[in-house]
Every structure is written in C-alpha cells, then in structure tokens.
DNA sequence: AGAGTCAGCTGCTCTAACCAACTGAGCTAG
DNA sequence: CTAGCTCAGTTGGTTAGAGCAGCTGACTCT
C-alpha cells in the first residue's frame, strides 16, 4: 500500500513515533536535527515529511520554538473542501450548491433525532442567539458568527464531538467560499424567523416540524444561490 | 489570517495559479524548476509547498514524470481521520466508537430520505451485492469490499457525489482502524440478514422501517465494539 | 529589583550537486 | 519492416552545508 518513496515512509515513521509514544496533542516532538539522526535521513527530507504532516493537522510547527503534536482538528478538511469548491466553481461547476446540499442532507437527517432532546441549557443558549440575531437584523445584517454558533449549539445536543466538528467544518467551508464568491444578500428578518422556527420546533419535540423548518432554511439559501448564478 | 512565513505563502500562490488558470484535475502543473523561477524562491521551498499540497490532495506528484492537479478526493480526510482515531485509541479514548457513532448518526438520518426513492438499477445492484454477501457468508467471512459497495450503492441514490464521497471516507477510515486494531468477529449470517432487511425496507418505501434497519445494523457493530474493549 | 542584552536553541531558506524514475527517439536484431 | 532494446534527456527525490530568522532564558547593567 504505502512506503512508495522515502518521504512517504518518513511520514509514516513519524506518525508511528507519535502512536508508539502515546503523545497527546500539544506534546513536543523531537527537533529536526534529532529526527534527522533518529530516522537516518537528511534534514530536507525530514522537513518535507513534517510539512505534509502539518498540512494534515497531525503536527504543529512553531518557528524558533519547536514541533508539536497537532490539535487533530478538522481544519485540514476545511482547507481541502474550500479549495475543491472554489476550484470547481471557477471551472463552472455547481460545487458550492453541492456543498450546500451536503449540509442540507446531513442536517435535515439529524434534526429529527434531536427534536425534544436538546438540554435546557442549550435551549436557553439558542434562545439568546436568536435574540442576538434579531437584534443584529435590526441594525444591519446578521453576523456570520451568530449563525455559526446557532448551528454548533444545536447539534451539540447529539453529544458526539467528532460529529460536531464535521458539521462545523462543512459550515466553515461553505461560508468561506460563499463570502468570497457570491454577494450575501439575505433578508435578515427571514433568517431570524427561520432560526426561531427551528428552535421552537426542536423545543416542542415535533420531529417532522423540525425537519421542515431546517429544510425551509436551506431551501431559502439554495434559492438565493441559484438566483445569483 | 495566513501568509505567516514564506512556505505558507508559496502554497497559496500555487493554489491561486490553479484557480486562475482554471486547471481541472489531472492537468499538468509547471515543473519544480519553472515554479522556482515563477515564484522567485528556491527549489527546496517549492518542494515543501508541493508536499503540503499533495497531503491535502490538491496536487499529485509523479516521480520522473511531473506534477499535476490532484483528484480533489476525500483521501486526505480519510488519512487524517484514521490517524486521529488510531492515536486516540492508543491513548485510551473511545475514538473508534465515536467514529462509528458519527456514521450511525449520519446514515440513519439519510436513509429515511432514501426510502422508496432508490432507482431500480441501484436496487438490482444492491440485490446482487446482498446475494454475493450471502454467498461469501457460506464459505467464510463477508468481504469488506462487498459491505463497502453496499453502502456506497445505497447512498448513491441521494445524487450528491460530494455526500457519497464523504460517506465512503467515513467508511474507509472506520474499517482501516477497525481491521488494524480489533478482531473482526462478526457473524456473517447476521450481517447478511441486516443488509437484506435494509434493502427490503428501502425497496418498500417504508422510511421508519428503513431507519430501524440501519439502526439495528449499527447497533450490532457497536455492541461488538464495546464488548471487545 | 527591573529592564535591556545576548548567547543558544529552534525552525526557515538558499545553493549546488548527485540519485532515481520515467519518456521517447533512435538503434539494433530478427 | 517491425519488435524490442538502449540511451539520452526530462522530471522529481535526496543529500550536504551554509547562513538567516524567531523565540527563550539567563546574564548584565542600571
């Protein structure tokens, strides 16, 4: 399967080193010089391997300080998804729409499992987020952060940090591409109404209603996306 | 946000080059020497940037042949997820279980949308896959490929290639870790029965039944996972 | 005691040379 | 004439050594 080429093998050996030593995120790795002697390869090869691992989020490099085990976040996935979507968009594909539909499919599928099961504390937080949203809608446009926080808080109730990270990654990639490529142009009041409806539906425990609410929310974004294309 | 350091900047400039020239997957990139002159940096820096881009799947490097625009697949995500899960496992976390629950949450959410909407051609393919599964169950264990193909064919009906790739990526990551770390030990006959039930439920168009079938399938895997831990 | 400085670590970049994989043109043998 | 081989040229892979740049912590001077 792997070990084609030396650099690739070096990556594997550094990964193995992290596994074998049970290093948690943030722990220091050997210096470049040490890895060089440890693996018996040149400094350059070590650096190329580390660069690749850094791109995958496995390793974190701090200039003048050292190399550390990375946060293992979904950041690299966001990076890759974003580029893939932007590149596709400029080649005339509906890649942004496809990304949105991915989010829609996953989130409408998950919301039913969530109806009536969101902890009271999260409901309160969602309430205050919608309130802030309405506040922002009065003065201008809704901040992207508020929308992000709403979705993140909503799916936190599923109690799976990996799932939450993946959903947030999808959100990030979508919004990064969206703000870069197409005009925003959303009616803030409509946005608020839709988010409030999602919140109320989830609070009431009506799964079907919640699904409809999420579907309408995404349908609205989808419509605006299609119109601007 | 970015452009801290030169290497990072080089990556961005190569990405920009792909975007600006509208290069599709498989198209050749300038050679290392050309990039060197084009970007005004040393060969070493070019190579480190390319290595990072390769790790993100944006670029594909073929020794002695050239550098090309990558397939933009989810392969890097699989790599990252796999490592994250393995590392977590060895540090005593339930990372594999979390990955399985991610799949379960997403797939049970999607299956309802799929009930009664799978094209006849896909149903036929699923039928033959289950048949092969039953065949394999008679002689020994069910091949992993068959299971993978079943899930891939099933969600193909959602008609979103990005979504399909993400689901396959989750499958790949899970199975790579699973086969590396824990004993397989699944009853082939039970596996077959569960897959057939999913197929029949989807064919009948009964969304609730389909959801139950998928949930039971994952519940079974989850149970075995818990027992072996 | 506090602020400034400097030595030493670290990673970053460059240059120059050679190794290894692949392609394709040209040669050779059948 | 063609099938196969060889070899030169191109491209990426690896090594070596030198100097640059960011950060830390101890040391010094006020």
């Amino acid at each position: 399967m792997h070990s084609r080429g030396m650099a690739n093998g070096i990556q594997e050996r550094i990964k193995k080193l992290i596994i074998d030593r049970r290093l948690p995120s943030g722990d220091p790795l050997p210096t470049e010089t040490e890895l060089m002697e440890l693996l018996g390869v040149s400094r350059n090869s070590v650096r190329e391997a580390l660069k690749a691992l850094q791109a995958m989020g496995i390793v974190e490099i701090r200039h003048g300080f050292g190399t550390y085990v990375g946060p293992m976040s979904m950041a690299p996935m966001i990076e890759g998804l974003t580029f893939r979507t932007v590149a596709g968009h400029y080649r005339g594909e509906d890649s942004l729409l496809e990304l949105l539909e991915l989010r829609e499919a996953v989130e409408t599928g998950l919301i039913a499992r969530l109806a009536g099961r969101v902890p009271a504390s999260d409901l309160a937080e969602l309430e205050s987020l919608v309130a802030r949203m309405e506040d922002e809608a009065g003065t201008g446009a809704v901040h992207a952060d508020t929308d992000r926080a709403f979705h993140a808080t909503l799916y936190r109730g599923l109690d799976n940090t990996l799932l939450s990270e993946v959903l947030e990654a999808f959100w990030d990639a979508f919004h990064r591409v969206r703000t870069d490529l197409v005009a925003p142009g959303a009616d803030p009041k409509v946005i608020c109404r839709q988010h409030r409806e999602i919140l109320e539906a989830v609070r009431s425990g009506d799964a079907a209603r919640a699904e409809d609410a999420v579907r309408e929310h995404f349908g609205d974004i989808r419509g605006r996306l299609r119109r601007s294309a």
Side-chain angles (χ1 to χ4, degrees), chain A:
Chain A
M1 174 74 91
H2 30 61
S3 93
R4 37 102 184 278
M6 203 162 205
N8 212 325
I10 297 176
Q11 288 180 40
E12 295 303 322
R13 285 163 74 187
I14 295 178
K15 282 203 234 173
K16 191 172 184 309
L17 187 148
I18 297 176
I19 300 286
D20 290 345
R21 298 191 181 175
R22 309 274 199 280
L23 299 177
S25 289
D27 260 34
L29 254 56
T31 66
E32 292 183 350
T33 314
E34 287 170 332
L35 281 174
M36 210 176 119
E37 295 166 358
L38 192 61
L39 305 177
V41 294
S42 79
R43 179 119 181 260
N44 222 321
S45 301
V46 168
R47 284 184 53 74
E48 285 182 11
L50 286 176
K51 271 278 168 173
L53 292 175
Q54 182 188 40
M56 293 190 277
I58 291 175
V59 144
E60 193 181 337
I61 305 175
R62 279 185 257 172
H63 186 176
F65 197 52
T67 307
Y68 300 81
V69 178
M72 313 273 180
S73 73
M74 291 290 137
M77 188 178 95
I78 300 174
E79 208 67 37
L81 254 186
T82 301
F83 182 81
R84 172 192 169 126
T85 307
V86 171
H89 178 88
Y90 277 115
R91 290 203 314 274
E93 300 168 9
D94 275 339
S95 56
L96 186 54
L97 186 63
E98 199 177 33
L99 178 56
L100 180 68
E101 285 176 347
L102 165 65
R103 286 189 60 210
E104 179 175 358
V106 174
E107 294 200 16
T108 56
L110 291 176
I111 196 72
R113 295 167 59 87
L114 209 51
R117 300 190 187 192
V118 178
S121 60
D122 285 353
L123 283 176
E125 199 170 325
L126 288 169
E127 181 65 50
S128 88
L129 281 169
V130 173
R132 189 199 303 174
M133 226 177 255
E134 285 160 347
D135 194 42
E136 290 169 349
T139 65
V142 175
H143 283 175
D145 288 342
T146 314
D147 182 70
R148 188 182 194 280
F150 182 88
H151 286 262
T153 307
L154 187 57
Y155 295 102
R156 189 196 300 160
L158 288 171
D159 195 35
N160 184 325
T161 55
L162 181 60
L163 174 55
S164 298
E165 282 184 56
V166 169
L167 288 176
E168 287 184 48
F170 291 160
W171 190 98
D172 285 341
F174 178 77
H175 276 257
R176 270 176 55 177
V177 179
R178 188 174 176 281
T179 55
D180 278 6
L181 298 183
V182 306
D187 184 349
K189 278 170 192 150
V190 175
I191 296 290
C192 288
R193 189 172 49 71
Q194 290 174 344
H195 281 87
R196 180 161 289 286
E197 171 60 14
I198 294 173
L199 169 57
E200 294 310 330
V202 168
R203 198 205 305 271
S204 76
D206 186 339
R209 181 183 162 198
E211 205 173 313
D212 285 343
V214 170
R215 206 188 309 281
E216 191 193 325
H217 177 41
F218 277 103
D220 190 52
I221 307 178
R222 184 150 25 92
R224 269 184 286 119
L225 212 59
R226 281 233 176 79
R227 237 169 296 137
S228 77

